[in-house]
């Protein structure tokens, strides 16, 4: 039999509850008055959020799944939203700084016409670059390595031109990539096995690689399974869509060429560099291109050359070139390699491999060589639109003949979080080992918060990821996974140049000025991260131009994560409301009083002549 509740006890509890509620109301009233007085840190945040719509919540409705893109977040309706219209269909594969028509206005000498030539301000497009009709989400890795939907890059020229070399084959509604190349028709894996007999590819010593004139980047695609991260590049030329195919496959690549401008990478970046019949005249211009490779090659790193002129004695007839010409070409390469103090480790068949010395102690003789003109050490990383010079980049100083110039790196993956030599030596002003470790911890926390917002991160849905303001590479390091890779961008206007640190961690990246278009095709990234980018570029260039460029290079249904001051994100949110993006504002993971907020977005699915698809 149940006991009857004591009515006196019930009345007492009611009065206690009323008292607690009254006390809390008084407390928050006083707190609000204190914040409005100017002494609290949350007053500006509260006012902005109240003014522009209280939607700083964990996202209940924004859907990142394929062919879904949830509700549009609130925007101040008192101001008219600018609506951006689709560009004409002819711009479906528009690359602003490598536009074919503009390129033909520049000299062909030294590939100048294939370098970056960006549109003037009045020539910039202010429309949304469309996806081709029938565009679909790429296959997840590793299937994407071997198959690309035809609708995403509907160009068959390579299937004809490279038919006997196993580059690419057309099979119904897909392209198939057998893994072959001009120099490895039997497959990239067997070719890499040959290299691995000389180069320590499998033990983490070689982590970052550079592939010059990469074709469809099969070399980099197959190195991935050996935990080697490859930066591939090729020009936008008659071999239609090379780099576009590479990125559709999920392989790191950019549009680029060795011409007259330095490569957009820091000194001592790559563990290995590679040219497989890449048609670069290595011996020309006093070995200028080899000297540029030497600049970006880490002390102790390897350079691989396969194809002409190697093995010219046996192949000159097949290559339909005079024997004397090929002999002279190889001799020029050997002479430059000797000047650079590279040691030849291997030459067999059509493959030759050199290794860069670990320091300058063993190369003292070249100081007396009249041809050994040395660059200024302080200009080794000053590369953005800077002309290549026919000079040798000096090694950093060492204290003994066995010391690795610039510092010895740990094998990967240990080097990912170990203190990079550039930081341990104090070469990056204002960054100590302690601040580096603190940065790593912060980004681990940020990325954990991102994964709660967007559960598709590290699910295989996002393969190609772009970090527009990479800092020390903490975002990429925290995301490290066999399912994805991150292109770390170091803005040329950043206060500190830390791209060398990023490479020392076993990650890859590039210098870039976001006032200009990126060297890639449209729809090449699945996820874009922009931390503090718009605060950095405030008053430097048009915010709208940067966002339109982000739209160009983001896949339909791709996601964006902005992290910035709330007043900056409100401006971003207003522009993206007219860009067919769905957005939602989220508090900093440590609470609403932090002025830094997170804006997440999903680009809606739409194609040429098609309608927008969004969640119902």
């Amino acid at each position: 039999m149940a006991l009857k509740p004591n009515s006196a006890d019930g009345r007492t509890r009611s009065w206690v509850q009323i008292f607690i509620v009254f006390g809390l109301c008084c407390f928050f009233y006083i707190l609000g008055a204190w914040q409005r007085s100017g002494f609290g840190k949350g007053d500006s945040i509260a006012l902005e959020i109240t003014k522009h719509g209280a939607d700083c919540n964990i996202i209940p409705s924004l859907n990142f799944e394929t062919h879904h893109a949830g509700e549009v977040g609130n925007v101040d309706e008192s101001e008219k939203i600018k609506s951006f219209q689709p560009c004409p269909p002819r711009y479906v594969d528009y690359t602003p700084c490598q536009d074919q028509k503009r390129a033909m206005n520049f000299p062909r000498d030294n590939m100048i016409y294939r370098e970056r030539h960006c549109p003037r301000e009045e020539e910039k497009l202010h429309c949304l670059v469309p996806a081709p009709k029938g565009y679909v989400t790429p296959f997840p890795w590793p299937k994407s390595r071997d198959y690309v939907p035809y609708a995403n890059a509907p160009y068959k020229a390579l299937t004809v031109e490279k038919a006997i070399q196993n580059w690419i084959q057309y099979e119904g509604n897909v392209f198939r990539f057998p893994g072959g190349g001009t120099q490895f028709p039997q497959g990239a894996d067997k070719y890499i096995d040959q290299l691995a007999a000389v180069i320590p590819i499998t033990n983490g010593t070689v982590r970052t690689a550079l592939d010059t004139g990469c074709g469809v980047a099969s070399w980099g695609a197959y190195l991935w399974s050996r935990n080697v991260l490859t930066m591939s590049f090729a020009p936008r030329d008659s071999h239609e869509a090379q780099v576009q195919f590479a990125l559709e496959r999920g392989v790191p690549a950019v549009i680029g060429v060795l011409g007259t401008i330095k490569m957009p990478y820091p000194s001592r970046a790559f563990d290995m560099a590679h040219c497989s019949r890449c048609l670069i005249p290595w011996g020309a211009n006093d070995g200028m291109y080899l000297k540029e490779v030497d600049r970006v090659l880490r002390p102790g790193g390897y350079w691989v050359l396969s194809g002409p002129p190697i093995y010219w004695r046996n192949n000159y007839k097949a290559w339909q070139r005079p024997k004397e010409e090929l002999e002279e070409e190889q001799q020029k390469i050997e002479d430059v390699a000797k000047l650079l103090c590279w040691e030849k480790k291997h030459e067999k068949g059509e493959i030759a491999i050199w290794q860069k010395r670990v320091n300058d102690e063993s190369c003292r003789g070249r100081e007396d060589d009249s041809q050994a003109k040395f660059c200024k050490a302080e200009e080794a990383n000053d590369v953005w639109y800077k002309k290549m010079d026919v000079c040798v980049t000096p090694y950093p100083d060492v204290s003994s003949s066995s010391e690795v110039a610039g510092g010895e790196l740990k094998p990967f993956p240990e080097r990912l979080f170990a203190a990079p030599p550039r930081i341990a030596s104090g070469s990056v002003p204002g960054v100590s080992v302690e601040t580096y470790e603190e940065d790593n911890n912060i980004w681990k926390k940020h990325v954990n918060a991102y994964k709660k917002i967007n559960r598709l991160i590290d699910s295989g849905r996002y393969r190609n990821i772009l970090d527009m303001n990479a800092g020390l590479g903490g975002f990429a390091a925290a995301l490290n996974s066999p399912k994805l890779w991150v292109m770390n961008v170091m803005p040329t206007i950043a206060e500190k140049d830390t791209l060398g640190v990023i490479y020392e961690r076993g990650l890859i990246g590039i210098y870039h000025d976001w006032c200009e278009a990126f060297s890639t095709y449209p729809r090449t990234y699945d996820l874009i991260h922009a931390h503090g980018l718009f605060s950095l570029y405030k008053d430097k260039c048009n915010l709208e131009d940067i966002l339109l460029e982000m739209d160009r290079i983001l896949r339909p249904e791709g996601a964006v994560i902005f992290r910035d001051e709330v007043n900056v994100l409100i401006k971003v949110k207003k522009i993206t409301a007219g860009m067919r993006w769905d957005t939602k504002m989220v508090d900093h993971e440590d609470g609403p009083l932090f002025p830094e907020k997170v804006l997440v977005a999903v680009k809606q699915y739409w194609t040429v002549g098609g309608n927008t698809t969004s969640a119902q």
Side-chain angles (χ1 to χ4, degrees):
M1 179 175 170
L3 295 175
K4 292 183 179 180
N6 189 308
S7 59
D9 289 344
R11 285 193 297 271
T12 301
R13 282 195 296 271
S14 297
W15 280 108
V16 169
Q17 290 170 349
I18 292 170
F19 179 79
I20 291 172
V21 171
F22 179 78
L24 287 173
C25 288
C26 290
F27 171 76
F28 285 114
Y29 176 82
I30 295 168
L31 177 62
W34 173 64
Q35 288 183 330
R36 286 193 297 273
S37 70
F39 294 100
K41 294 183 178 179
D43 52 329
S44 61
I45 305 167
L47 287 171
E48 291 289 355
I49 297 305
T50 302
K51 179 180 177 183
H52 292 274
D55 60 341
C56 277
N57 307 304
I58 295 299
I59 302 172
S61 57
L62 196 62
N63 193 329
F64 298 88
E65 296 288 355
T66 301
H67 287 286
H68 291 82
E71 66 180 73
V72 177
N74 296 328
V75 179
D76 186 354
E77 295 181 359
S78 65
E79 296 184 50
K80 187 176 180 180
I81 302 301
K82 179 179 178 180
S83 180
F84 296 92
Q85 298 303 310
C87 303
R90 67 178 181 277
Y91 290 106
V92 69
D93 285 325
Y94 183 53
T95 54
C97 296
Q98 286 89 11
D99 180 66
Q100 298 282 60
K101 291 182 179 179
R102 187 180 300 106
M104 301 314 294
N105 296 323
F106 292 87
R108 290 177 173 262
D109 300 344
N110 294 323
M111 298 293 282
I112 292 173
Y113 76 118
R114 294 297 184 200
E115 294 179 330
R116 285 176 59 86
H117 303 291
C118 298
R120 297 188 300 270
E121 193 65 32
E122 63 273 17
E123 296 176 321
K124 289 182 179 180
L125 296 182
H126 290 275
C127 53
L128 304 176
V129 173
K133 193 169 184 178
Y135 178 89
V136 295
T137 302
F139 299 115
W141 185 269
K143 184 177 180 180
S144 67
R145 186 193 70 179
D146 302 326
Y147 296 96
V148 165
Y150 170 75
N152 291 13
Y155 307 111
K156 296 182 182 179
L158 282 176
T159 66
V160 177
E161 187 169 346
K162 304 294 181 181
I164 63 172
Q165 296 169 5
N166 258 351
W167 276 34
I168 179 174
Q169 297 172 0
Y170 175 64
E171 298 179 354
N173 62 349
V174 299
F175 289 110
R176 186 170 72 87
F177 297 83
T182 307
Q183 286 303 127
F184 37 94
Q186 301 304 311
D189 258 340
K190 289 185 178 180
Y191 175 79
I192 292 169
D193 284 341
Q194 292 178 277
L195 304 184
V198 181
I199 302 171
I201 287 175
T202 58
N203 65 2
T205 301
V206 171
R207 164 62 178 176
T208 56
L210 178 69
D211 193 12
T212 58
C214 66
V216 294
S218 286
W219 188 69
Y222 279 81
L223 276 171
W224 180 269
S225 63
R226 308 184 193 219
N227 219 11
V228 176
L229 189 55
T230 306
M231 172 72 77
S232 300
F233 72 79
R236 178 164 187 168
D237 61 2
S238 58
H239 293 172
E240 198 169 31
Q242 291 179 95
V243 167
Q244 188 175 25
F245 278 130
L247 286 154
E248 283 294 320
R249 298 175 72 185
V251 182
V254 292
I255 302 172
V257 65
L258 272 171
T260 64
I261 305 297
K262 291 180 180 180
M263 290 188 286
Y265 314 116
S267 61
R268 310 193 312 277
F270 297 98
D271 301 311
M272 175 170 57
H274 173 258
C275 163
S276 171
R277 203 170 184 140
C278 62
L279 305 180
I280 294 171
W282 294 111
N285 300 323
D286 295 323
M288 181 170 70
Y289 299 136
L290 269 183
K291 290 171 183 175
E292 176 64 358
V293 169
D294 180 73
R295 181 185 69 81
V296 301
L297 196 61
R298 197 180 310 288
Y302 297 86
W303 185 59
V304 179
L305 175 62
S306 66
I310 307 302
Y311 210 49
W312 57 269
R313 289 180 178 85
N314 291 68
N315 283 356
Y316 72 92
K317 289 183 180 179
W319 292 337
Q320 299 180 342
R321 291 181 60 187
K323 182 167 54 175
E324 296 76 18
E325 179 184 296
L326 287 163
E327 181 180 14
E328 181 184 3
E329 187 177 328
Q330 177 157 357
Q331 189 56 52
K332 285 182 178 179
I333 292 171
E334 302 284 1
D335 291 343
V336 178
K338 183 178 179 181
L339 179 67
L340 294 171
C341 214
W342 292 0
E343 179 184 2
K344 195 166 194 179
K345 306 293 288 188
H346 172 87
E347 182 176 336
K348 186 177 180 180
E350 295 181 16
I351 299 175
I353 301 172
W354 288 262
Q355 184 177 20
K356 183 176 177 177
R357 307 279 184 174
V358 296
N359 59 44
D360 209 18
E361 290 294 314
S362 57
C363 305
R364 290 300 177 190
R366 71 178 178 178
E367 292 184 354
D368 300 324
D369 192 322
S370 61
Q371 297 182 35
K373 175 189 173 185
F374 286 89
C375 311
K376 295 178 181 178
E378 62 272 17
E379 295 179 354
N381 297 328
D382 185 15
V383 301
W384 188 244
Y385 285 123
K386 295 301 173 63
K387 292 283 187 181
M388 282 188 213
D389 197 0
V390 187
C391 57
V392 179
T393 302
Y395 286 92
D397 293 333
V398 294
S399 56
S400 70
S401 59
S402 61
E403 183 182 352
V404 177
E408 188 169 5
L409 295 177
K410 297 183 182 298
F412 194 85
E414 190 178 351
R415 74 168 74 165
L416 185 61
F417 289 104
R422 279 173 167 90
I423 290 178
S425 66
S427 300
V428 183
V431 181
S432 65
V433 173
E434 291 74 23
T435 56
Y436 166 75
E437 292 174 348
E438 181 183 355
D439 185 77
N440 285 334
N441 291 332
I442 289 171
W443 280 106
K444 287 176 183 177
K445 185 171 70 172
H446 287 341
V447 168
N448 283 335
Y450 293 161
K451 289 179 178 179
K452 292 176 182 177
I453 296 168
N454 182 349
R455 300 187 188 280
L456 294 180
I457 295 175
D458 200 26
S459 70
R461 173 69 174 82
Y462 304 133
R463 170 68 180 174
N464 304 353
I465 298 178
L466 178 70
D467 192 358
M468 298 177 72
N469 186 17
L472 297 172
F475 170 74
L479 267 182
N480 183 55
S481 165
K483 299 174 185 175
L484 56 85
W485 59 270
V486 179
M487 180 69 76
N488 294 281
V489 178
M490 177 58 51
T492 55
I493 64 169
E495 181 183 352
K496 295 182 178 69
D497 177 7
T498 53
L499 191 54
V501 169
I502 288 169
Y503 274 94
E504 288 180 342
R505 302 186 71 167
L507 304 168
I508 59 170
I510 193 168
Y511 291 109
H512 184 66
D513 182 356
W514 286 110
C515 290
E516 298 181 358
F518 198 57
S519 292
T520 192
Y521 283 84
R523 304 171 301 282
T524 46
Y525 287 93
D526 306 299
L527 176 66
I528 297 177
H529 181 248
H531 170 233
L533 183 80
F534 294 98
S535 290
L536 177 67
Y537 275 91
K538 182 182 179 182
D539 302 325
K540 299 293 190 304
C541 53
N542 194 331
L543 182 72
E544 180 181 293
D545 288 341
I546 299 177
L547 286 166
L548 287 172
E549 174 62 4
M550 293 172 71
D551 181 82
R552 184 185 74 88
I553 64 181
L554 183 66
R555 294 192 191 280
E557 296 171 333
V560 183
I561 301 173
F562 301 91
R563 177 179 287 271
D564 218 314
E565 298 290 320
V566 66
N567 59 323
V568 173
L569 293 184
I570 288 171
K571 294 177 183 177
V572 170
K573 186 176 174 69
K574 179 187 172 185
I575 296 173
T576 58
M579 289 174 53
R580 305 191 184 196
W581 288 14
D582 297 334
T583 60
K584 197 80 171 178
M585 193 89 80
V586 183
D587 277 327
H588 189 285
E589 59 268 17
D590 288 336
L593 296 185
F594 279 77
E596 185 178 77
K597 301 291 180 185
V598 175
L599 179 68
V600 293
V602 174
K603 179 179 175 178
Q604 296 174 6
Y605 177 88
W606 62 279
T607 64
V608 169
N611 296 321
T612 300
T613 300
S614 59
Q616 300 300 317

